[in-house]
Amino acid sequence: MQTQNSWHDSATYSQWVRRMLRHAGSGQEMPVSLFESSVPEPVELLSGLVGDSFGKATTSRYESAFAGGNPFVKAKLAETYGVAEAGIVTTTGATGALSLIYQALLQPGDRILVENPGFDLFAILAEAQGFGVDRFERTGPSFAVDPDAVDAAIGPDTRIVVISNLHNPSGFAIDEGVLRALGELAERRGVTLVVDEVYLGYALPGAKSAAQLDISPQVLSVNSLTKIYGLSTLRCGWIVGDPKVVQPIHALSREVEFSISKLSHAIAALVLESPEAFRAWTDGIVASARPIIASYHQQWLKAGLVEGALPADGCIAFPRLVGITDTKDFSEWLATTYGVIVAPGECFGAAGHLRIGFAIDPDRLQHGLQRLTDAIVEYRHIRADASLNRA
């Protein structure tokens, strides 16, 4: 067993998931997927919305997105965020948003600063475009961001700082005061702060987007419909910020963004305008799942199987396993032996942790978490026996 210490030494998150699904799916029993990072796709709701909108007549929201985005999507986002439409760029998902930001705001030799643990795609997108990547640590039981640590990690070539709120992979929120301090830091150091907020919709009512806090023109918010409603199929994302900062992103988008679907963004406009049924879908799944994960988390803590707190919001958790440092090896063994798929901490730069997605059917969640519990206990016994034999 060989411990992996960073995401540079291991498969990317997407590679890991695909490989484990193929491997675990080859068995007789359907694997239990605890790696999902959103609620399941609301197929019936989506099917009904499409049928109502394109049945007897075509919805008025079916407008070209080529010239600058679906106008109804932009109008609703402007209303929601309380900003001018000139400060909004619609994109092909949050991934497309980040890629556009990097391309528009970075020059050869520039570097970005990202959080660790963190979603590896933040760095992968930059490195694929030839930009350097540095990291700062999110620390403590709630993976807090220390503005002083961020300040110290900003180098002479740093142009963009990327963070997530809610944090991926841990699910913890960033305090509003910290966000304000980071915005002030970005303005003082002359960098752009990009806040990935794809999980923010899971936060308690009243949680504000960084773009809504009016901290600094150097702050950009990125979001999409993927995580909060399970609507990855729509590929609807957006960037919100100061119109002057957003302007070069707009300009680049008009030149290179040809992937925005007229059809999917028309449906996205309808979801944004009337989100109640989709919100109820999300809230119902999380409300059913949270008592289950909370109960198991308490059992794990009491039995000394894990360390770390359970985040108050969201649909993911990132506990540290006690006595198991190579979580990549454990996760492979777990998928093979118990048919349960989780994301090892190595995929996020934090070996020893597991990212667990729990927004699934309650019975399946109960089954998966019990098998995970049994697996942790058995694996620790295996490792203990192996150590005794070596001694």
Side-chain angles (χ1 to χ4, degrees):
M1 298 181 182
Q2 191 173 28
T3 302
Q4 306 291 331
N5 293 317
S6 76
W7 60 52
H8 294 296
D9 301 322
S10 60
T12 66
Y13 169 68
S14 61
Q15 289 171 342
W16 168 266
V17 169
R18 290 186 178 97
R19 185 162 67 86
M20 287 299 101
L21 282 173
R22 288 195 300 268
H23 186 65
S26 64
Q28 293 184 347
E29 185 179 357
M30 180 69 68
V32 180
S33 297
L34 296 180
F35 69 86
E36 303 287 359
S37 56
S38 71
V39 294
E41 184 180 36
V43 176
E44 290 187 9
L45 288 175
L46 187 60
S47 176
L49 184 60
V50 172
D52 292 342
S53 305
F54 292 91
K56 295 180 179 179
T58 300
T59 174
S60 61
R61 273 52 183 163
Y62 190 56
E63 289 277 349
S64 173
F66 178 75
N70 181 291
F72 296 98
V73 171
K74 293 188 71 172
K76 186 59 184 179
L77 290 173
E79 177 188 333
T80 300
Y81 283 87
V83 300
E85 288 189 29
I88 295 173
V89 181
T90 54
T91 63
T92 306
T95 300
L98 282 170
S99 183
L100 277 174
I101 290 170
Y102 293 167
Q103 291 179 69
L105 301 186
L106 296 174
Q107 299 295 326
D110 288 346
R111 303 183 69 84
I112 71 166
L113 179 65
V114 300
E115 61 196 6
N116 189 72
F119 186 35
D120 62 357
L121 197 59
F122 294 169
I124 290 170
L125 287 172
E127 290 170 339
Q129 296 175 29
F131 303 115
V133 177
D134 301 303
R135 292 172 175 81
F136 72 91
E137 295 296 319
R138 293 184 64 150
T139 60
S142 60
F143 296 92
V145 178
D146 180 357
D148 290 336
V150 177
D151 193 8
I154 294 174
D157 297 320
T158 304
R159 298 292 176 265
I160 292 176
V161 178
V162 185
I163 61 174
S164 57
N165 187 34
L166 306 174
H167 180 219
N168 183 13
S170 76
F172 284 98
I174 299 176
D175 181 79
E176 183 177 315
V178 172
L179 276 177
R180 290 189 178 279
L182 291 171
E184 293 164 2
L185 170 61
E187 190 159 358
R188 175 168 56 82
R189 296 297 300 270
V191 300
T192 300
L193 175 68
V194 177
V195 187
D196 183 298
E197 297 175 341
V198 295
Y199 291 99
L200 188 62
Y202 287 99
L204 296 174
K208 289 186 177 180
S209 162
Q212 293 173 305
L213 295 176
D214 194 27
I215 303 165
S216 163
Q218 296 301 114
V219 176
L220 297 176
S221 288
V222 169
N223 209 333
S224 77
L225 292 178
T226 296
K227 300 303 182 185
I228 185 59
Y229 296 143
L231 290 170
S232 61
T233 189
L234 298 184
R235 306 305 302 148
C236 181
W238 55 88
I239 304 162
V240 183
D242 182 270
K244 290 182 179 178
V245 177
V246 166
Q247 193 280 327
I249 306 173
H250 258 306
L252 179 65
S253 176
R254 286 192 291 268
E255 295 297 324
V256 304
E257 178 58 283
F258 304 121
S259 300
I260 293 180
S261 166
K262 177 180 177 180
L263 177 61
S264 67
H265 278 226
I267 300 300
L270 294 168
V271 173
L272 288 166
E273 290 172 349
S274 300
E276 294 81 12
F278 293 89
R279 183 78 233 191
W281 165 263
T282 295
D283 290 347
I285 292 171
V286 174
S288 296
R290 182 159 283 277
I292 299 173
I293 185 67
S295 175
Y296 272 93
H297 188 261
Q298 284 300 314
Q299 292 179 39
W300 297 337
L301 289 173
K302 187 176 181 180
L305 300 181
V306 306
E307 292 179 346
L310 185 69
D313 307 303
C315 60
I316 55 177
F318 198 55
R320 189 184 77 79
L321 300 188
V322 175
I324 301 175
T325 56
D326 187 345
T327 35
K328 182 174 179 288
D329 183 84
F330 169 74
S331 297
E332 290 178 346
W333 179 85
L334 173 69
T336 301
T337 308
Y338 279 85
V340 176
I341 305 175
V342 295
E346 286 85 345
C347 290
F348 306 95
H353 290 258
L354 295 180
R355 196 189 72 175
I356 301 170
F358 54 85
I360 63 174
D361 173 78
D363 290 339
R364 196 146 183 82
L365 177 62
Q366 179 82 33
H367 175 65
L369 292 177
Q370 184 57 57
R371 291 183 73 81
L372 173 59
T373 305
D374 295 341
I376 295 172
V377 173
E378 182 180 349
Y379 187 86
R380 295 206 317 180
H381 285 159
I382 291 171
R383 290 295 302 271
D385 291 343
S387 298
L388 286 174
N389 289 335
R390 284 195 299 268

